[in-house]
Amino acid sequence: MAEIVLVRHGQTEWSATGRHTSYTDMALTAEGERQARAVRDRLAGRTFAAVLSSPRRRALRTAELAGLDVTEVTEDLAEWNYGDYEGITTRDIRAGRPDWSLWSDGCPGGESPEQVGARLDRVLARARELLTGGDVALVAHGHCLRVAGARWVGLPPKAGGLLKLDTATVSVLGFEHERDAVLAGWNA
C-alpha cells in the first residue's frame, strides 16, 4: 500500500538554538543544506504521486535539495503559529510561565493545539485522496508534523508532544492490514 512520507526541513539558525519559528521565513544553514541533501539518500527508490509542502522557504529548499518535485504548496502545512512566542525559546517562555506547554496551552496571539490539529486533518485528508496514485510526501516543520503523526493514529493534537522529530528526518505514516493507520517509521 502507498504511504505518506513526512520530511522535516533541515536546520535553520533558529532551529539550532531552539527558537520557535513559524511565520519568520528562515533560510537553511549550511548544515541544514547538507542535511537536506542527505534526505535524498533516505528516499532513494521511492517515487511520489504528489509532494505537498509548506510555503516557507526552509521547507521548499529542503524539498529541492532532497530531489522532491513539489506538486502543491499549502499554508495548512505551515508551522504552528507561535504568535507572541515567535523567536523565543521554551526556556525563556517558562521563565515567566513555568507551567506553560505548547501542547496543552498553545500560544497567545497564535494557534491552539486544536487549530493546528484541524489544519493537519485537512492535509491528511488531502494526502489520503492522493494515495490512490502512490506515495505522498509532506515537507514541513517539526511541531506541525508531530501533530500530523498523532492525528494519523487517532490521537489528539497534544499527543504530538510525545513524538520527537529532529531536523531533516523522514517519518512514514502507513497502514497495517490494509486499513489501520500506523506510524510505520519515525524520526529516521
Side-chain angles (χ1 to χ4, degrees):
M1 278 198 87
E3 298 175 310
I4 299 172
V5 177
L6 309 180
V7 177
R8 182 177 176 201
H9 67 75
Q11 180 192 75
T12 67
E13 180 184 332
W14 282 13
S15 69
T17 57
R19 295 170 68 182
H20 290 86
T21 318
S22 56
Y23 50 81
T24 302
D25 209 2
M26 306 286 297
L28 298 177
T29 62
E31 173 61 13
E33 294 218 353
R34 186 203 63 75
Q35 291 173 336
R37 282 190 289 276
V39 168
R40 182 186 296 256
D41 293 336
R42 293 197 299 279
L43 298 177
R46 278 195 188 263
T47 57
F48 292 96
V51 177
L52 284 62
S53 178
S54 159
R56 303 300 179 260
R57 66 181 166 159
R58 58 195 181 270
L60 292 167
R61 180 70 172 146
T62 296
E64 177 187 359
L65 293 172
L68 297 170
D69 293 321
V70 174
T71 58
E72 190 175 323
V73 175
T74 175
E75 204 51 56
D76 278 345
L77 274 173
E79 181 58 295
W80 195 309
N81 183 337
Y82 301 119
D84 298 346
Y85 293 158
E86 180 78 359
I88 302 173
T89 67
T90 297
R91 181 179 178 177
D92 289 340
I93 296 165
R94 287 188 178 155
R97 286 186 66 190
D99 295 332
W100 177 77
S101 168
L102 173 67
W103 302 101
S104 57
D105 302 324
C107 300
E111 290 181 295
S112 69
E114 294 74 25
Q115 288 170 313
V116 178
R119 284 197 290 115
L120 273 298
D121 285 348
R122 288 192 298 268
V123 170
L124 292 171
R126 175 75 177 129
R128 275 185 186 263
E129 292 171 3
L130 296 167
L131 284 174
T132 58
D135 289 350
V136 174
L138 306 179
V139 185
H141 314 274
H143 286 137
C144 77
L145 290 177
R146 291 167 69 177
V147 171
R151 297 301 298 138
W152 180 254
V153 295
L155 297 174
K158 70 178 183 179
L162 303 173
L163 302 172
K164 181 180 177 1
L165 195 59
D166 297 322
T167 54
T169 53
V170 174
S171 300
V172 180
L173 308 179
F175 298 93
E176 186 173 64
H177 306 297
E178 299 173 3
R179 66 175 203 158
D180 299 328
V182 298
L183 298 180
W186 195 260
N187 203 35

